[in-house]
């Protein structure tokens, strides 16, 4: 976790004293409950605009951010809440932003998809963030820093030409760029099979870029993979790719889900909180759930009270 | 007569009537039927010719170009008009060039459809009206959906042509009712139509005959619907009489109906949701200031949104974008 | 004082003086030094910061965006201005959006340089002046090279700013001599300068003091050089006196110098090489028709190229593009 | 050779009675001499604008066009003369076009890089022709024809994102598209090593597209490869890639060559006319050279005489 906006709430971001397993669970639970809360605020008509929740993919964000440092930079996309919360912990700033408030992290100008805070940016236009992340990596390389630049893209974004233009440049110039490709099996309403020919892995490897491919919703596995990749990136220069096969459990944005119910149900059985939650006792889990719940409720109250 | 449904029915008729018509776009296939549901049902009935594409706006336009060069009639949906930026090279350097640079030996009648505009809180990259940047691209027709133009006629006309077109659809039109003229009226307003040969029609709307109007309002798309309400209200409440001109084609523009109206009223207000500066209204002001140099009573008023990002916050968005209030204020000034 | 050399020297000084400056572009490295040789020698002296890129205009702009967000000052060359189309998404939806949509928390001062324009027989895709499509993009500065503006001052000013800019360089300027004002003269014309606070300078050129001029000519880039010759010749040969205004910044435009000149002359001709319709001159006509509504003696003349492709054939190209003949004709009309 | 513009000159396009070896040599010689003539006309100030000669790469064009039929379509790029001449034989139309004459194949509007004739088009903007060629392939697929669409790109054009967007769509939809990638080792002034990371072949294969890779300037080898690829494409549907490693012997456009002289010289020893010319006797070769020379001279005279 690189940088903190405003006051951090350890109930959401984790306590120094708790175990790694507790911490990771808490941090995922935080993102999950933040987004579920957001969706219900939308349903209650408290929010306008649109939003893309990452329910089911929380482990990716948490795993990667565990290994970032001050000076590193994350570029995210339309589905950026999890990335931002894992990076910054700034739930109030994000909620206020989505509420369109002046106290929001971008004064309500950016909204759900356009977030900026130290070490973090997002933009809702697919593809175009990838060269920008490479440019930040180039800046790091030029200034001789060992900071890295991380960019999150989805499977569907592999449709955009900007991605390939950037992979080529990043590989040619050995830029310290980590591309995290979250393959959640769908792009809006379109399954990967209708969007993508050939092999995701080979798309990157064709540029001579090493790919770490992992099919998992287990935050510990992801955490290990991210740790190794980021360490290698800092040690050897870049670029590298972390290709995560995961699943989006919620609709794409709001009320737009035509996927087979059975497919979605099956994935609820192996979602990150379930998978990792088993490593905690019921008591431990309950304690975290309760504290996150209380904190999220405070976040909502605080955000509602802001101008 | 919901606009989105009418447009869907139009596309269905195009597919049914003309085997050369092919629909391309992101997520346009069933059951989803497109981000704004316009194409719902079409891929089920025309599976070969209604195709969900990968997220590749440039290639959507480029593949459409090839289809068109080969004699097909592609109609491609760019999910948000904001992403027309990614088709810009295809539009400027390929699609609109072929016929002219090949000395008429090829045609490239691509139609791009683009849900556009704001007022929905979608934020800076999903709310823009970028059509102004496509105005004045040689050999490109820019057309705007509105509630007073039947999409059936528009698409029939576009499919008659061999030149490419960009058709912008303001998102707020989708749930509205089409309001076509019946017995010379639309709602509380007198309605008539002007069609210059070879041009798409413009609609005139006013509470009283033109001769009694003291200002012309020129508006398209969703803003035309807003302007119609303003025109109606100003007539009823303040006896300020304006004639609204609603073109379907924005570029090249048929200025005749505008000139005819302003010749009578002596004053012009243009309205658009795009940002101010080098906008649609700019050209209108330049042309009409020239054509009616001595007959304009006062300078043309250009109503456009602030030259800025479209904010996500509802409040900030509605203060940045043109709304009825700005139209109202400008018409009052210009009617005087 | 060859312009291409001066520009190269300017970029060299930028690199030497400011370690944040990075040059990117296709084939810009030595020994080639760019398609128009502007960057020749620079990669030898600044190998890390002068980088030939793959043929990827979109990513060139995008990587520049990232560099700029990270505090660097990228100056990217787009080999032909025609290919700016491929940077349009980056310019419109990324580079110009960041500062505003992030509420000022980031800056993205990318500078794109684009050799532009025709008269060289390069054909429809290598001869265009596409800057008109970038005018009115919120938060984008569009700047044009000319022979009367020192590129050193322009780049010094741009590097002071935190906002992005597009700098268009007409190809025909490269082999010409810079002609900066000396003792209040440029060649046979009186020369003076106007700088509004925060804006780049405009230069005034005329054979006689403004008070004796009966028309204002507004032109930029290579067309400004053509226009200067016309102004000089008309004065000498026909005693038609015009004041030429040559801005360096096209958008947002500082209208004060234009207004000041037209207030005296009562007539305006705008000149640009881009195609007609929704062009730079359109906005000028709209603004000046408004600001000087009662003081304009006659409608504004907009001189622009035909709304068509730029033909490859020399003859066809020169009849399609604006040349001295069209400027001459328009100035004669407007001076009357 | 698909379609013919105007009057064909068999001295350039080949005689029915001559051997395959003679025919192929003649057709390459035609292109070579056309372009050399063009360059000298430029030097004499008879032409304006710019041009990109394909000297050294003639075998690619000739080999591919041998296997096209009426109805097939070729999309070419800035370096299109060889492709156009091999496809159409229309030397007068092309020369008149480059001379900017009304009698030119595009009435002088298009010029060197923007040629259109039945079954042939070119555009000088890199990358964007690839989706157009795919669209033509889609048209063929929709209309149930077995015609194919061929697009020529250079190594440097692999920098453009449009290429990858199209490969994905073409592979997903199995479009009858043949991509001929002519790797001539340089893109303008930039060597492949500074332009391209990873593997050219894998760039295509990552999309599940079969690649036939051939490092040759031998027209017979290329002809066999093209024959097989085109036959397979018609038989199985597409897309397919023919990746040819070759070399450009002339400068990029005009007077802009900074490549190592020794590198270029070495390639002159294995250029297509030398390689294939060895299969003819001196007499055979001389006869063809003479007849091509006479024909080209007629072409110049004719073109100069046109309006
Ligand atoms: C350039 C562009 N095209 C289209 C969209 C609309 N859009 C938003 S999200 C999305 C699907 C993205 O899929 P994927 O990359 O897999 O990410 P996921 O939503 O699954 O996280 C689409 C098409 C967009 N935001 N930007
Ligand atoms: C979009 C675009 N960018 C840049 C150029 C300028 N340009 C023309 S040819 C060329 C090099 C092309 O290299 P390659 O693809 O290898 O083809 P080759 O010239 O070697 O045949 C460049 C950069 C262009 N024509 N189009
Ligand atoms: Mg996805
Ligand atoms: Mg090459």
């Amino acid at each position: 976790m690189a940088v903190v906006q405003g006051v951090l709430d350890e109930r959401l971001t984790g306590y120094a004293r708790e175990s790694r397993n507790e911490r990771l669970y808490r941090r995922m639970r935080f993102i999950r409950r933040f987004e579920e809360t957001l969706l219900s605020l939308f349903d209650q008509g408290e929010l306008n605009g649109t939003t893309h929740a990452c329910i089911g993919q929380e482990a990716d964000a948490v795993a990667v951010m565990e290994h970032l440092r001050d000076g590193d930079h994350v570029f995210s996309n339309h589905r950026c809440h999890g990335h931002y919360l894992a990076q910054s912990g700034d739930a109030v700033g994000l909620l206020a932003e989505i509420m369109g408030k002046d106290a929001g992290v971008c004064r309500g100008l950016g909204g759900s998809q356009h977030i900026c805070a130290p070490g973090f940016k997002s933009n809702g236009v697919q593809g175009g963030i990838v060269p920008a992340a490479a440019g930040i990596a180039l800046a790091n390389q030029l200034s001789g820093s060992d900071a890295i630049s991380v960019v999150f893209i989805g499977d569907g974004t592999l449709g955009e030409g900007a991605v390939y233009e950037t992979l080529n440049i990043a590989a040619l110039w050995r830029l310290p760029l980590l591309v995290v490709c979250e393959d959640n099996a769908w792009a809006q309403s379109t399954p990967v099979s209708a969007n993508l020919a050939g092999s995701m892995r080979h798309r990157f490897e064709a540029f001579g870029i090493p790919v770490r491919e992992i099919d998992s919703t287990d935050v510990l596995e992801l955490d290990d993979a991210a740790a190794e990749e980021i360490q290698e990136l800092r040690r050897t220069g870049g670029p590298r790719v972390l290709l995560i096969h995961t699943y989006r459990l919620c609709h794409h944005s709001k009320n737009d889900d035509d996927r087979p119910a059975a497919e979605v149900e099956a994935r609820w059985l192996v979602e990150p909180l379930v998978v990792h939650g088993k490593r905690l006792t019921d008591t431990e889990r309950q304690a975290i759930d309760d504290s996150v719940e209380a904190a999220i409720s405070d976040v909502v109250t605080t955000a509602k009270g802001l101008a | 007569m919901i606009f989105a449904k009418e447009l869907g029915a139009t596309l269905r008729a195009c597919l049914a009537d003309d085997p050369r018509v092919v629909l391309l776009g992101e997520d346009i296939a069933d059951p989803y039927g497109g981000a704004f549901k316009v194409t719902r049902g079409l891929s089920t009935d025309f599976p070969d010719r209604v195709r969900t594409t990968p997220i590749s706006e440039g290639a959507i336009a480029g593949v459409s170009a090839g289809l068109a060069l080969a004699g097909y009639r592609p109609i491609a949906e760019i999910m948000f008009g904001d992403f027309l930026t990614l088709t810009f090279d295809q539009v400027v350097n390929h699609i609109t060039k072929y016929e002219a640079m090949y000395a008429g030996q090829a045609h490239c009648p691509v139609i791009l459809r683009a849900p556009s505009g704001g007022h929905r809180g979608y934020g800076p990259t999903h709310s823009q009206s970028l059509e102004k940047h496509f105005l004045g691209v040689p050999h490109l027709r820019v057309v705007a959906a509105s509630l007073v133009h039947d999409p059936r006629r528009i698409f029939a006309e576009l499919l008659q042509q061999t030149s490419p077109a960009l058709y912008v659809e303001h998102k707020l039109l989708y749930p509205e009712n089409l309001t076509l003229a019946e017995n010379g009226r639309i709602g509380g307003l007198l309605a008539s139509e002007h069609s210059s040969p070879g041009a798409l029609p413009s609609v005139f709307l006013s509470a009283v005959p033109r001769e009694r109007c003291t200002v012309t309002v020129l508006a398209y798309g969703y803003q035309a619907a807003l302007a119609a309400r303003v025109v109606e209200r100003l007539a009823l409440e303040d006896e300020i009489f304006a004639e609204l001109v609603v073109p379907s084609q924005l570029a090249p523009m048929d200025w005749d109906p505008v000139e005819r109206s302003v010749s009578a009223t002596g004053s012009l207000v243009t309205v658009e949701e795009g940002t101010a500066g080098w906008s649609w209204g700019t050209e209108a002001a330049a042309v009409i200031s020239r054509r009616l140099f001595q007959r304009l009573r006062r300078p043309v008023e250009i109503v456009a949104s602030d030259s800025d990002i479209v904010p996500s916050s509802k409040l900030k968005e509605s203060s940045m974008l043109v709304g009825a209030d700005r139209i109202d204020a400008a018409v009052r000034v210009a009617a005087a």
Side-chain angles (χ1 to χ4, degrees), chain A:
Chain A
M1 192 179 47
V3 174
V4 172
Q5 293 282 290
V7 187
L8 269 199
D9 186 335
E10 290 174 320
R11 291 175 297 175
L12 298 173
T13 58
Y15 293 96
R17 63 167 188 274
E18 67 191 344
S19 70
R20 177 186 179 207
N21 279 346
E22 286 171 311
R23 170 183 167 81
L24 292 174
Y25 179 82
R26 180 186 298 277
R27 288 163 62 69
M28 294 195 296
R29 181 83 191 168
F30 162 31
I31 298 172
R32 173 71 54 85
R33 291 299 300 135
F34 180 92
E35 297 223 280
E36 288 175 344
T37 304
L38 204 61
L39 291 173
S40 71
L41 289 170
F42 264 103
D43 287 343
Q44 294 157 32
E46 298 251 5
L47 299 175
N48 80 320
T50 190
T51 193
H52 307 83
C54 71
I55 293 171
Q57 306 177 215
E58 297 88 347
D60 311 347
V62 168
V64 170
M65 304 309 167
E66 286 291 300
H67 306 286
L68 300 187
R69 309 179 187 153
D70 272 16
D72 291 339
H73 191 281
V74 174
F75 229 120
S76 175
N77 52 45
H78 59 290
R79 204 174 297 288
C80 63
H81 303 165
H83 305 145
Y84 180 61
L85 296 176
Q87 194 256 11
S88 72
D90 177 28
V92 171
L94 179 58
L95 183 55
E97 180 63 28
I98 299 171
M99 289 176 154
K101 303 205 167 202
D102 259 332
V105 61
C106 290
R107 300 192 39 229
L109 295 166
S112 165
Q113 305 187 66
H114 312 97
I115 298 297
C116 176
F120 189 95
K121 291 179 190 66
S122 69
N123 191 349
V125 185
Q126 320 274 115
I129 60 171
V130 184
I136 293 172
L138 174 56
N140 291 334
Q141 188 187 67
L142 285 171
S143 60
S145 130
D146 73 344
I148 65 167
S149 174
V150 180
V151 62
F152 284 86
I153 60 173
D155 48 287
T157 305
L158 294 176
E160 292 290 353
V163 174
Y164 304 92
E165 296 191 358
T166 310
L167 293 176
N168 190 34
I169 293 175
L172 271 174
W173 296 354
R174 297 198 53 69
L175 301 181
L177 173 71
L178 178 68
V179 178
V180 183
C181 180
E182 294 182 90
D183 165 25
N184 61 9
W186 291 83
Q188 201 141 338
S189 75
T190 307
V192 164
S193 60
N195 247 349
L196 190 124
S199 145
M200 269 187 220
R201 177 189 196 107
H202 294 162
R203 296 273 183 106
F204 301 105
E205 286 180 343
F207 295 84
I209 302 177
V211 176
R212 170 76 165 256
E213 188 168 9
I214 176 167
D215 186 341
S216 176
T217 49
D218 181 347
V219 71
L220 287 189
E221 279 178 34
L222 290 163
D223 191 61
D224 287 348
E228 285 173 32
E229 290 307 308
I230 290 171
Q231 198 184 337
E232 275 304 286
L233 184 58
R234 285 196 216 279
R235 207 174 56 80
T236 62
R240 302 184 82 82
V241 172
L242 179 59
L243 172 55
I244 305 173
H245 302 290
T246 178
Y247 198 75
R248 153 167 69 79
L249 290 167
C250 55
H251 29 60
H252 167 69
S253 48
K254 291 178 302 172
N255 315 318
D256 54 351
D257 197 353
D258 299 302
R259 295 172 302 174
E263 175 182 315
V264 182
E265 262 163 45
R267 297 293 194 131
W268 273 105
L269 304 178
V270 292
E271 57 95 356
L273 289 174
V274 166
V275 169
H276 185 64
K278 290 190 181 130
R279 298 194 177 104
L280 306 184
T281 65
D282 286 356
T283 332
E284 285 168 335
R285 219 169 39 237
Q286 195 59 53
I288 294 175
D289 288 358
D290 290 348
S291 99
V292 166
E293 215 52 34
I296 289 282
S297 149
D298 289 352
V299 164
V300 174
T301 311
T302 309
K304 283 190 175 171
L306 291 169

Side-chain angles (χ1 to χ4, degrees), chain A residues 48-50 100 102 107-114 123-126 156-157 159-160 187-190 194-195 252 256 258, chain B residues 26-27 29 31-32 35 52-57 79 83 86 120-126 309-314 316-317:
Chain A
N48 80 320
T50 190
D102 259 332
R107 300 192 39 229
L109 295 166
S112 165
Q113 305 187 66
H114 312 97
N123 191 349
V125 185
Q126 320 274 115
T157 305
E160 292 290 353
Q188 201 141 338
S189 75
T190 307
N195 247 349
H252 167 69
D256 54 351
D258 299 302
Chain B
E26 294 160 14
D27 299 288
Y32 200 71
T52 278
T53 65
I55 309 176
S56 312
E57 290 79 8
M79 188 189 284
F83 312 144
L86 289 159
R120 299 238 339 216
Y122 287 171
T125 62
H126 289 63
I309 57 143
V310 184
S312 189
S313 136
K314 203 167 187 152
K316 292 186 166 133
E317 182 187 36

Side-chain angles (χ1 to χ4, degrees), chain B residues 238-269:
Chain B
D238 297 283
E239 298 206 355
I240 295 174
F241 299 122
E243 180 170 60
L244 175 62
V245 183
V246 185
S248 40
Q249 184 168 321
L250 311 184
M253 178 76 188
D254 174 15
W255 296 110
D256 282 1
V258 187
E259 187 174 347
R260 195 171 297 196
S261 177
V262 181
S263 294
T265 63
S267 178
L268 175 63
V269 176

